[in-house]
Amino acid sequence: MNSSTTRSTWGATKAGRRGPALWAPAVAIGVLTAGVVGGLTYVFSPSQTPALLALVTAVTTLPVAVALGWAILVAPSSITGAVERPEESVESRWLERASVAALMDGFAMIGLSAGAIAITEVEVAADVVLMALWVLLSVDLGVRYLVLRRTA
């Protein structure tokens, strides 16, 4: 980004494009991505109404896909309040420490869960176990990050 470009809430491309010049390609990327996801849903759907499912999938994917397009195009240094080197920020270090600790907790959770299932011989669907582990690890990471932030 050149030095004459000012920072703004929505940022700019590295070439300095703002407003419609930034958002039009971001929306195009979003529509294309949502269309591909919807098309794949239509092709591989076991649903009785694959077209409806594809449409709902595409519509619900669109906002995230547009945000992805914006994130690809915008220069982080053009956003008001953005940190110059985010990987060197204290928040990045908190996230790194929380992630490592949550990973260790995840190993313990997986081992204890596998042991409990083997000992009790309870039949548990893999999707249920994986979703439960994902939720627990996500909460673990979030709590650890908040504790590090609060104690700093």
Side-chain angles (χ1 to χ4, degrees):
M1 189 173 104
N2 63 37
S3 59
S4 65
T5 305
T6 58
R7 292 178 175 224
S8 69
T9 302
W10 293 104
T13 64
K14 288 185 181 183
R17 294 188 198 115
R18 301 178 180 283
L22 168 63
W23 283 102
V27 170
I29 289 170
V31 168
L32 180 66
T33 303
V36 167
V37 170
L40 289 171
T41 302
Y42 179 79
V43 170
F44 295 108
S45 174
S47 172
Q48 297 295 327
T49 55
L52 179 62
L53 182 61
L55 178 65
V56 169
T57 302
V59 168
T60 56
T61 304
L62 184 61
V64 175
V66 170
L68 172 67
W70 176 84
I72 290 169
L73 296 173
V74 76
S77 62
S78 68
I79 302 170
T80 303
V83 178
E84 284 298 319
R85 291 185 299 275
E87 67 279 358
E88 296 176 10
S89 68
V90 67
E91 292 85 0
S92 176
R93 292 209 168 81
W94 292 339
L95 182 60
E96 183 179 326
R97 288 177 56 198
S99 298
V100 168
L103 176 65
M104 295 301 119
D105 291 347
F107 287 143
M109 281 186 238
I110 292 167
L112 291 171
S113 299
I117 290 170
I119 290 170
T120 61
E121 297 180 3
V122 173
E123 295 283 328
V124 183
D127 59 341
V128 172
V129 172
L130 292 173
M131 188 56 77
L133 286 170
W134 179 80
V135 168
L136 287 170
L137 286 171
S138 296
V139 170
D140 185 4
L141 175 65
V143 168
R144 285 182 175 279
Y145 181 85
L146 291 174
V147 167
L148 286 170
R149 187 177 83 177
R150 190 169 289 246
T151 58

